[in-house]
Amino acid sequence: MNKIPVGILGATGIVGQRYIKLLSNHPWFEVTELAASEKSAGKKYEEVMKNRWKLEGEIPHKVKNLVLKECKPNLECKIVFSALDASVAGPIEEEFAKEGYVVISNARNHRMDEDVPLLIPEVNPESLQLIEIQKRRRGFKGFIVTHPNCSTTHLCLVLKPLHEKFKIRKVIVTTMQAISGAGYPGIASLDIVDNIIPYIPLEEDKIENETLKILGKMEGGRINYANIAVSATCNRVFVSDGHMESVSVELENKPSIDEFIGCLDEFDPLKNYHLPSHVKPIIILREEDRPQPRLDRNLANGMASIVGKIRRCKVLDYKFLVLGNNTIRGGAGGAILIAELLKYMNII
Ligand code: NAP
């Protein structure tokens, strides 16, 4: 099979590096273009990444010698994955979509636009109906699909089956988020070593708002947001990778604890699609001291949400922990799964 050529915008960053690693042996996609800021453009990837490659192992052979380009829509590829800083992502992504590229973005800029899918493939594939509306309305030859915020992704993967079966009324979530979530060089070591920082700019709003769009319903060409009260508190903690979330939920229909666990355990709507990055999306750990970021963040290739400590809550109905890999399922891996779904559905 001829592989589909893809480009990475923001290829030098933390999420960009993750794309390069995850796509290095992908059966459907081949990285043909890398792009970043003006200061990186014109140089070989290997040269720019000296002392900046932060992932295990070496830079994959096939991309080492690719020359970084500017983020302009003259790249030789069909799909671009955008891991751009949010300060620049919005207009760059629009330019690419206008010129006919399929843009799959990890940046926040277009997530809440009413004609842009905010997609988790297992959760709301029907939101892809927005693509045609977006193209028509904006005169784009291509289109933009966005991937949610990293914490929101893992939260919604777990809330989806519960909402479908028992109807969620309220969610209280407190996050403990890893430092890689702030990009590179990210947060200063003097601020985070031996510390917890109870503030991540815009993060609480992103979780509260994106969740309602993702769990909403497509009706008459638009999304009706879910009617759930979501309250989020976000903290940056001294962990390299893996966001932990402590979640309590109130449900309209009251399941037994076995029904609650069974509902999460059965959830695997893409199991017959044979997508290369698919894993069973929820893993339940029964040990009372799990999940833990260092031990569990790479279970199922970093593509699953790891749930543990499921128990009754004396204020709402149930409480539990969710651990999610932020740069894989919460970043590049989640966006690659979107591209795989688009191909499966013959949208690309
Ligand atoms: P990062 O490490 O700071 O990387 C940012 C990237 O943006 C770099 O490649 C940088 O290129 C590029 N860039 C900056 N200014 C630019 C400009 N003017 N023109 C073109 N490119 C420019 O950030 P990150 O953590 O990888 O995050 C990337 C995006 O994904 C952000 O929007 C972030 O919110 C989102 N996200 C991050 C995570 C995570 O866990 N880190 C998870 C989900 C989503 P240069 O090296 O050339 O400056």
Side-chain angles (χ1 to χ4, degrees):
M1 184 178 103
N2 284 339
K3 292 191 187 181
I4 299 173
V6 303
I8 302 167
L9 310 179
T12 53
I14 288 292
V15 176
Q17 294 176 43
R18 205 36 102 182
Y19 273 116
I20 285 172
K21 184 107 187 165
L22 291 172
L23 290 168
S24 63
N25 286 309
H26 196 283
W28 297 355
F29 307 126
E30 169 125 38
V31 177
T32 55
E33 296 276 22
L34 300 178
S37 74
E38 269 176 35
K39 73 176 190 303
S40 309
K43 298 179 194 140
K44 279 190 182 172
Y45 190 68
E46 186 180 31
E47 184 192 335
V48 172
M49 297 310 287
K50 207 168 168 210
N51 303 324
R52 274 189 72 184
W53 179 256
K54 297 294 160 200
L55 299 185
E56 58 289 349
E58 294 191 359
I59 299 174
H61 190 69
K62 283 186 201 157
V63 303
K64 267 186 184 173
N65 292 320
L66 287 183
V67 173
L68 278 155
K69 296 188 177 164
E70 285 186 48
C71 294
K72 301 223 166 104
N74 56 4
L75 305 183
E76 287 179 26
C77 56
K78 192 180 171 93
I79 302 173
V80 289
F81 292 107
S82 167
L84 288 169
D85 192 86
S87 61
V88 295
I92 293 177
E93 292 172 358
E94 285 171 33
E95 277 175 44
F96 273 86
K98 194 168 163 211
E99 293 304 323
Y101 292 83
V102 172
V103 180
I104 304 176
S105 176
N106 296 102
R108 69 166 191 269
N109 308 63
H110 293 294
R111 285 183 191 147
M112 298 304 289
D113 293 2
E114 68 171 337
D115 57 355
V116 174
L118 177 59
L119 180 65
I120 303 174
E122 295 92 333
V123 174
N124 58 342
E126 64 287 351
S127 67
L128 289 172
Q129 292 168 34
L130 292 174
I131 288 174
E132 284 311 313
I133 296 168
Q134 180 193 133
K135 288 174 85 166
R136 234 183 6 253
R137 192 180 285 172
R138 303 194 191 212
F140 285 173
K141 286 185 255 167
F143 57 86
I144 301 171
V145 176
T146 55
H147 183 271
N149 159 271
C150 37
S151 303
T152 312
T153 302
H154 289 285
L155 180 67
C156 286
L157 267 172
V158 177
L159 295 184
K160 170 70 180 183
L162 297 175
H163 190 48
E164 217 165 57
K165 204 152 186 182
F166 309 121
K167 204 160 188 308
I168 299 173
R169 283 184 185 149
K170 293 179 186 163
V171 177
I172 298 176
V173 53
T174 301
T175 69
M176 292 150 268
Q177 300 185 211
I179 49 181
S180 62
Y184 187 78
I187 197 160
S189 52
L190 258 186
D191 290 334
I192 193 70
V193 173
D194 187 27
N195 207 6
I196 293 173
I197 297 175
Y199 176 62
I200 303 176
L202 304 177
E203 196 78 357
E204 294 175 357
D205 286 344
K206 284 190 227 171
I207 294 176
E208 292 179 0
N209 297 330
E210 290 178 20
T211 298
L212 303 187
K213 180 171 177 183
I214 294 162
L215 296 180
K217 277 206 160 55
M218 272 302 301
E219 274 157 351
R222 59 188 298 273
I223 297 174
N224 281 335
Y225 284 22
N227 183 18
I228 301 173
V230 182
S231 173
T233 302
C234 296
N235 303 285
R236 185 76 68 196
V237 299
F238 190 37
V239 165
S240 61
D241 278 304
H243 293 348
M244 184 85 101
E245 307 180 40
S246 174
V247 187
S248 298
V249 289
E250 183 179 290
L251 305 163
E252 195 164 306
N253 306 313
K254 307 293 182 192
S256 69
I257 190 144
D258 287 344
E259 288 167 334
F260 186 93
I261 293 172
C263 165
L264 295 176
D265 203 24
E266 283 160 15
F267 183 65
D268 193 4
L270 302 183
K271 69 170 174 276
N272 297 322
Y273 288 36
H274 306 294
L275 306 181
S277 304
H278 165 263
V279 300
K280 190 171 172 296
I282 297 175
I283 294 179
I284 298 172
L285 300 183
R286 313 274 171 166
E287 298 89 333
E288 61 193 4
D289 61 349
R290 302 288 274 275
Q292 295 181 21
R294 192 152 46 81
L295 303 182
D296 301 317
R297 62 192 166 208
N298 291 324
L299 289 180
N301 308 323
M303 284 296 286
S305 299
I306 318 299
V307 178
K309 290 193 73 181
I310 301 172
R311 59 225 192 274
R312 286 207 178 266
C313 171
K314 288 181 180 158
V315 179
L316 304 185
D317 290 313
Y318 285 99
K319 55 185 175 178
F320 49 91
L321 293 174
V322 181
L323 171 71
N325 192 307
N326 50 299
T327 65
I328 302 182
R329 185 52 192 252
I336 293 168
L337 190 66
I338 290 178
E340 293 171 1
L341 181 71
L342 292 174
K343 181 169 181 317
Y344 175 88
M345 295 175 76
N346 288 321
I347 297 174
I348 50 175

